[in-house]
Amino acid sequence: MPSLQSVISCLSDYDPTALPVDQANRIIADVVEPVTGIEQLAIRTALDRVLAEDVVSPIDVPAHDNAAMDGYAFNAANLPASGDAVLTVAGTALAGDTGLPAPAAGTAVRIMTGAVMPAGCDTVIPQELVEVDGDTIRFAADAVRAGDNRRFRGEDLAAGKPALRAGRLLRPADLGLLASLGIAEVRVRRRLRVAFFSTGDELRSIGETLDAGCVYDSNRYTLHAMLTRLGVELIDMGVVRDDPAALEAAFRTACENADAVITSGGVSVGEADYTKAIMARLGDVTFWKIAMRPGRPMAFGRIASNGKEALLFGLPGNPVAVMVTFYHFVRAALHRMMGTDLAAPPLMRVRSAQAIRKKPGRTEYQRGILAPGADGQWEVRITGQQGSGVLRSMSEANCFIVLGHQQGGVAAGDPVDVMLFEGLI
Ligand code: AMP
Ligand code: MG
């Protein structure tokens, strides 16, 4: 992996104290590389895993020339130049039938969608276009052209051609596709191992008494859930106190057992804790103030312990900031480590139901509810209190309202970009 310093030194306009979101993501993408390690899985268990190699089709799809419609197959030589074609029906080809003899001149074969084209037939007339009279059919000669409604062998996919490419994150359709090729197992990248813990003396775990000035540790639960959705192996290391020895031991254990380490808290300016000092001591870590809201402070880099290395994300402590930085930085980085480069989720442009205050010079991820307005057009409104500690704003929302770096305030009725949670979370 390239070092963080070498990546950063190539940037002319690098300012770690006001880093635009895009630039932070470019640096992360340049530093992160896929893990090595492959395993072979039955396709049923390969959902959400990443293909390690191209899958080459062992067969032609479809395997035979076949009918694309229910109707009658015949040879186009039987079509008169004009007027009506009249043919005798000389048999039936059902799906799965093979080896039907070629129909004689002046005859056609009744055929069902997907059935193998009988020898000598090259055209199918859909049944809706024919008049049937006993065992003869009649249709306008110009209702079809030679070759209509016939699917060719190998038309969808030829044997020997890649059906799916390495780096593909396997979805339900891909598993069906693999099954349609008769492929039982695939080679996928091994699962990522991700260790995570919360830092802060004010944190209490569920089940403990909430002393004055304390809060329950919620970040570990949102992180656990977000990481579960990504399909990684989790190492939940609990809450670590602001104590140098405890923190160092936690970072070392995490680093030695995981590909990536995610922490929350302790990276803000003026934190009375040791988290930043220990992160910096254990590796190549940079501390950013990102030009975004929520989620300004973030540590990123690589730490090492006893010859093992791990990627490090030191996320802010505020619960909404944790989720926003996870979705907008960590998610893509982990996908890249998993061996896949997914495009960022699409943005939809919809009407803002209300005015939104925003200063140019930072990207904002306000929490929104996208719903049809009174006129039936989609519109978005913000979920009340947008403080970075107000987790309810995430829970009630169904999308981020993404207000770009340069953008200023929004007037009611203006279009804004939204990123749907569905598919993201
Ligand atoms: P910090 O970044 O450590 O200064 O934390 C910022 C704010 O987030 C403080 O109000 C913390 O109490 C809160 N916070 C930090 N970690 C957690 C956590 N794991 N769960 C809930 N709140 C947290
Ligand atoms: Mg703290």
Side-chain angles (χ1 to χ4, degrees), residues 199-200 202 242 265-266 271 273:
T199 69
E202 77 281 23
D242 272 338
E271 270 286 315
D273 61 27

Side-chain angles (χ1 to χ4, degrees), residues 198-200 202-203 215-220 264-268 271 273 297 315-319:
S198 300
T199 69
E202 77 281 23
L203 302 180
V215 293
Y216 283 121
D217 170 18
S218 60
N219 291 343
R220 229 155 28 87
S264 73
V267 292
S268 341
E271 270 286 315
D273 61 27
L315 304 184
N318 272 311

Side-chain angles (χ1 to χ4, degrees), residues 133-154:
D133 182 9
D135 62 356
T136 63
I137 55 169
R138 172 186 291 271
F139 55 92
D142 61 6
V144 281
R145 283 160 311 165
D148 276 1
N149 305 313
R150 170 188 47 172
R151 300 175 63 232
F152 284 99
R153 166 187 186 141

Side-chain angles (χ1 to χ4, degrees), residues 28-67:
I28 294 169
D30 282 349
V31 168
V32 176
E33 282 177 352
V35 294
T36 51
I38 291 176
E39 54 187 324
Q40 184 140 341
L41 292 183
I43 58 172
R44 226 194 261 279
T45 59
L47 183 65
D48 292 336
R49 301 296 296 270
V50 177
L51 274 186
E53 301 167 350
D54 289 355
V55 174
V56 168
S57 178
I59 56 170
D60 283 323
V61 181
H64 308 274
D65 289 7
N66 67 75

Side-chain angles (χ1 to χ4, degrees), residues 69-70 125-131:
M69 304 280 277
D70 289 345
I125 176 85
Q127 61 188 14
E128 311 77 78
L129 300 182
V130 306
E131 245 173 62

Side-chain angles (χ1 to χ4, degrees), residues 29 60 67 89 113 166 181 219:
D60 283 323
V89 180
T113 304
L181 302 177
N219 291 343

